[in-house]
């Protein structure tokens, strides 16, 4: 039948993750075509196996005993672009816009393409819309799943379509931006329709010679004015590098999944309660609620940068990154996670929600 791909057995997952932790996958397959993705889904169904879709491994914690099912690694490549004109009504606030029109590009990118290579190419080609998302590890297909965001920009601002395989009926569907239900670090892919869709390709709408987005105070301070797209990319890479949020084999503090917890969104009442003891608590408005940096809460719950628990630890350069200090097991990371959650809960009554996907743990 269509099973022309090779299913491997007992493949170690640790080297395929940025944390470098975790046991083996019982079955493992790399799909480089959409029909191979479909065949992998069929293989899992026929053999009654759980299926886990692996992208760049930059946002997963794999358990020490591994995954007793099929891991599907997405290797779908390819970038196609189409040009069109942006109507003047959409160019408000774009001070460089000439006479009401500007070329835009729709770029369809295979889910297996490296995210940062894509961003680098967009910046080189002077396409604006993803420049603040420079230096984020992982693959393009993972970006809509958790609505990747940083330095004031999120992929939900530029994604127009996500091509997916619907596991419930085996059909390929194209979801629009609205269908994806994007909000902070959330989409239907990691909430209401978890495990239903496998992302095959993502289409972004980028503006040619558009201005860079500068909407984050730390970025504004770091970028040289007048800001260019490449200036913003360089500034973001510098900031991320200083915080060990760029994967660098020479930097032990970068052996992480980036932020381990989401920044909690809380009621104004909670903020006011915290302000009694900490009048200068940082926060960002989020509709009627506020988002408080998890890193700040963790520090005020008495965990500092460089804290260690066995072979796991907190990065010396960013409190939100839990790191593998060399030979950490997944169990050690979980112990540290639990300890931090308990500390923040006890001090503030706020439950920190982990950001990465947990693979091979009991539900
Ligand atoms: N802060 C601390 N200690 C720290 C770091 C930060 O107290 O060690 C406090 C400070 O008040 C600081 C504030 O947290 O002003 C914000 O810090 P930062 O700019 O580093 O951002 P973050 O909230 O820690 C979020 C994202 C990152 C993204 C940055 C920049 C989440 C969970 N994380 O981190 O995304 O790069 O903003 O926009 O939303 C990721 O998701 O993996 C990720 C790296």
């Amino acid at each position: 039948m269509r099973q022309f791909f090779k299913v491997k057995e007992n493949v170690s997952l640790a080297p395929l993750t940025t944390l470098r932790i975790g046991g083996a996958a019982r079955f493992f397959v790399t799909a480089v075509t959409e029909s191979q993705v479909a065949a992998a889904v069929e293989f899992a169904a026929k053999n009654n196996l759980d299926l886990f879709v692996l992208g760049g491994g930059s946002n997963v914690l794999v358990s020490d005993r591994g995954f007793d099912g099929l891991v599907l690694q997405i290797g779908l490549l390819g970038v196609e672009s189409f040009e069109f004109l942006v109507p003047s009504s959409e160019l408000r606030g774009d001070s460089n816009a000439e006479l009401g029109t500007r070329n835009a590009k729709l770029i369809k990118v295979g889910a297996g393409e490296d995210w940062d290579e894509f961003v680098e190419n967009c910046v080189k080609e002077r396409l604006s819309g993803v420049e603040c998302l420079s230096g984020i590890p992982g693959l393009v297909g993972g970006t809509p799943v958790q609505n990747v965001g940083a330095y004031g920009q999120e992929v939900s601002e530029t994604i127009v379509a996500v091509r997916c395989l619907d596991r419930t009926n085996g059909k390929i569907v194209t979801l629009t931006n609205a269908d994806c239900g994007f909000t902070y670090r959330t989409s239907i892919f990691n909430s209401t329709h978890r495990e239903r869709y496998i992302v095959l390709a993502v289409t972004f709408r980028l503006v040619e010679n558009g201005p860079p987005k500068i909407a984050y105070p730390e970025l504004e301070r770091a970028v040289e004015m007048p800001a260019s797209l490449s200036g913003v990319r360089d500034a973001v890479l510098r900031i991320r590098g200083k915080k060990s949020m760029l994967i660098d084999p020479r930097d032990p503090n970068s052996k992480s999944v980036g932020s381990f917890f989401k920044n909690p969104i809380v009621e104004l009442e909670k903020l006011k309660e915290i302000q009694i003891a900490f009048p200068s608590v940082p926060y960002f408005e989020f509709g009627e609620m506020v988002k408080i940096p998890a890193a700040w809460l963790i520090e005020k719950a008495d965990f500092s940068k460089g804290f260690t628990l066995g072979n796991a630890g907190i990065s010396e350069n960013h409190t939100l990154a839990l790191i593998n200090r060399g030979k950490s097991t997944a169990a050690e990371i979980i112990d540290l996670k639990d300890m931090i959650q308990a500390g923040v809960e006890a001090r503030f009554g706020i439950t920190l929600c982990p950001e990465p996907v947990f693979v091979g743990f009991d539900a």
Side-chain angles (χ1 to χ4, degrees):
M1 291 225 334
R2 266 195 291 158
Q3 212 158 293
F4 38 77
F5 59 83
K6 189 168 162 35
V7 179
K8 298 185 206 159
E9 281 183 62
N10 205 25
V11 172
S12 173
L13 294 173
L16 303 174
T17 71
T18 54
L19 255 178
R20 310 251 145 200
I21 285 179
R26 182 164 157 217
F27 296 103
F28 184 94
V29 70
T30 303
V32 296
T33 64
E34 292 185 347
S35 50
Q36 288 180 348
V37 173
V41 170
E42 271 173 36
F43 176 86
K46 215 179 278 164
N47 294 288
N48 210 10
L49 295 168
D50 285 339
L51 176 73
F52 175 69
V53 179
L54 180 71
S58 58
N59 205 38
V60 292
L61 175 64
V62 179
S63 78
D64 296 314
R65 61 164 196 264
F67 184 69
D68 187 25
L70 174 69
V71 170
L72 165 60
Q73 185 182 44
I74 297 293
L76 301 169
L77 301 179
V79 180
E80 286 171 66
S81 61
F82 320 86
E83 284 196 33
F84 68 101
L85 283 180
V86 186
S88 56
S89 57
E90 290 184 28
L91 290 169
R92 271 191 300 259
D94 178 352
S95 55
N96 296 324
E98 288 157 23
L99 294 174
T101 55
R102 188 183 278 291
N103 287 330
K105 259 189 182 167
L106 286 183
I107 309 199
K108 185 177 168 199
V109 194
E113 290 284 346
D114 180 79
W115 171 256
D116 194 49
E117 263 173 43
F118 167 62
V119 174
E120 187 181 19
N121 284 329
C122 291
V123 168
K124 268 193 200 139
E125 290 179 27
R126 302 193 187 194
L127 295 168
S128 78
V130 288
E131 58 283 351
C132 301
L133 305 176
S134 293
I136 294 183
L139 305 183
V140 168
T143 61
V145 176
Q146 55 153 342
N147 185 16
V148 161
Y151 301 102
Q153 200 166 52
E154 289 182 345
V155 288
S156 59
E157 294 165 33
T158 44
I159 287 179
V160 290
V162 183
R163 183 176 165 89
C164 307
L165 180 79
D166 183 346
R167 287 174 62 189
T168 58
N169 55 18
K171 295 216 164 99
I172 289 182
V173 286
T174 298
L175 303 182
T176 64
N177 180 296
D179 295 336
C180 294
F182 290 124
T183 160
Y184 168 64
R185 289 298 190 276
T186 307
S187 69
I188 61 163
F189 306 113
N190 66 3
S191 61
T192 49
H193 290 77
R194 239 184 120 219
E195 309 211 336
R196 173 167 178 184
Y197 297 107
I198 297 178
V199 176
L200 304 171
V202 186
T203 305
F204 297 87
R205 180 189 199 272
L206 304 172
V207 178
E208 286 186 337
N209 296 312
K213 183 165 185 189
I214 304 180
Y216 200 79
E218 193 179 6
L219 177 60
E220 200 170 345
R221 287 193 295 272
V223 79
E224 265 177 50
M225 295 295 176
S228 62
L229 291 174
S230 61
V232 166
R233 174 171 169 83
D234 292 346
V236 168
L237 291 177
R238 272 199 310 278
I239 301 173
R240 293 188 72 96
K242 262 192 227 150
K243 296 183 180 181
S244 297
M245 289 292 199
L246 288 181
I247 302 295
D248 176 354
R250 292 160 306 175
D251 178 359
N253 286 297
S254 74
K255 226 190 247 182
S256 76
V257 291
S259 302
F260 200 92
F261 298 102
K262 294 183 200 174
N263 288 333
I265 294 160
V266 301
E267 304 280 348
L268 267 181
E269 290 310 305
K270 176 56 82 179
L271 176 69
K272 286 183 189 148
E273 185 190 311
I274 298 175
Q275 279 171 330
I276 297 170
F278 301 98
S280 57
V281 49
Y283 66 91
F284 305 93
E285 276 164 25
F286 193 87
E288 311 227 303
M289 319 246 301
V290 290
K291 191 151 69 166
I292 301 186
W296 183 91
L297 294 166
I298 295 169
E299 286 175 19
K300 294 297 178 258
D302 292 335
F303 295 94
S304 40
K305 296 187 179 85
F307 177 87
T308 61
L309 184 68
N311 294 305
I314 294 180
S315 158
E316 289 166 342
N317 298 319
H318 200 302
T319 314
L320 206 45
L322 304 195
I323 57 164
N324 169 6
R325 300 171 58 241
K327 294 207 165 79
S328 177
T329 58
E332 287 176 292
I333 296 279
I334 295 285
D335 286 347
L336 178 57
K337 160 195 119 34
D338 289 346
M339 187 187 236
I340 292 171
Q341 280 175 318
V344 169
E345 181 86 51
R347 176 72 45 99
F348 297 105
I350 292 177
T351 309
L352 289 184
C353 253
E355 198 192 65
V357 177
F358 292 77
V359 181
F361 294 85
D362 293 330

